[in-house]
């Protein structure tokens, strides 16, 4: 079935004289897209808001205490979980926005409605405090529990993460630091 779809796409592209204009990277992307489409006929999309609470410390002995909102996005047959964050750091009077990409190593079900999940991920973000701009990247490990209801159309979840990485601030007060944070997320997802 996969080879039939690839064969049809390549022949259609030849017929339209498009394949001569495509370089090798575009051909590879076209084949990978055909493979992805042929292996997953239907998928569900989970999207929703979450509350963020973060405590942490830095190597330079700065305290971190953040609260904020974010939006999560995941798919039922792809083990990746994406989140966009907007947080306020009360301890340092700064705003932070960023994004994370997590890989679910496992997501086993416990009964019909409960499941656990865990895995590694990455985070990248920027913060602003007056005229100073900070850049933060981190490696992370997370674990959580989720509860689905209304035949799996809605999901409530709780997630605990440990993340650490370098922080660079530029502006009037420039410095480098290493942060260790413990984000906690409580969220809701609607499945489509």
């Amino acid at each position: 079935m996969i080879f039939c779809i690839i064969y049809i796409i390549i022949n259609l592209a030849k017929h339209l004289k498009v394949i001569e204009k495509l370089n090798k990277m575009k051909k590879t992307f076209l084949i990978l897209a055909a493979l992805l489409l042929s292996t997953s006929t239907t998928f569900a999309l989970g999207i929703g808001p979450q509350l963020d609470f973060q405590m942490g410390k830095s190597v330079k002995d700065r305290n971190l205490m953040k609260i904020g909102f974010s939006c999560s996005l995941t798919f039922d047959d792809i083990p990746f979980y994406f989140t966009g964050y907007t947080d306020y750091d009360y301890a340092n009077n700064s705003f932070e926005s960023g994004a994370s990409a997590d890989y679910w190593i496992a997501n086993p079900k416990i009964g019909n409605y409960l499941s656990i999940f865990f895995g590694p991920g990455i985070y990248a973000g920027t913060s602003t405090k007056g005229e100073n701009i900070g850049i933060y990247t981190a490696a992370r490990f997370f674990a959580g529990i989720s509860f689905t209801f209304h035949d799996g159309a809605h999901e409530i979840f709780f997630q605990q993460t440990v993340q650490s990485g370098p922080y660079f601030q530029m502006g009037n007060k420039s410095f480098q630091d290493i942060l260790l944070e413990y984000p906690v997320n409580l969220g809701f997802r609607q499945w489509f």
Side-chain angles (χ1 to χ4, degrees), residues 13-88:
K14 282 181 183 177
H15 178 69
L16 297 173
K17 296 184 180 181
V18 173
I19 200 115
E20 290 82 20
K21 296 178 184 177
L22 297 176
N23 60 25
K24 187 174 183 176
M25 182 186 290
K26 290 181 182 178
K27 289 179 191 176
T28 304
F29 177 75
L30 186 64
I31 291 170
L32 289 174
L35 284 171
L36 181 64
L37 289 173
S38 66
T39 57
S40 79
T41 55
T42 61
F43 67 90
L45 170 72
I47 189 167
Q50 68 184 34
L51 292 172
D52 307 322
F53 306 97
Q54 290 189 70
M55 301 291 286
K57 198 100 170 139
S58 77
V59 171
K60 294 193 176 193
D61 207 29
R62 292 186 312 130
N63 290 320
L64 307 166
M65 188 169 63
K66 302 175 187 176
I67 186 168
F69 297 98
S70 55
C71 184
S72 65
L73 171 72
T74 189
F75 302 91
D76 67 340
D77 60 349
I78 301 172
F80 287 101
Y81 176 77
F82 304 98
T83 308
Y85 295 90
T86 302
D87 296 327
Y88 177 71

Side-chain angles (χ1 to χ4, degrees), residues 144-166:
I145 188 166
S146 67
F147 176 77
T148 57
F149 55 99
H150 286 158
D151 293 330
H154 306 294
E155 180 179 9
I156 296 173
F157 64 92
F158 172 81
Q159 175 176 303
Q160 171 69 59
T161 306
V162 175
Q163 66 186 33
S164 182

Side-chain angles (χ1 to χ4, degrees), residues 110-157:
I110 303 170
N112 291 331
Y113 304 105
L114 201 61
S115 64
I116 60 172
F117 53 91
F118 58 90
I122 56 171
Y123 174 83
T126 61
S127 64
T128 57
K129 180 180 180 181
E131 295 180 7
N132 296 311
I133 296 173
I135 298 172
Y136 174 46
T137 58
R140 37 191 276 142
F141 186 83
F142 62 92
I145 188 166
S146 67
F147 176 77
T148 57
F149 55 99
H150 286 158
D151 293 330
H154 306 294
E155 180 179 9
I156 296 173
F157 64 92

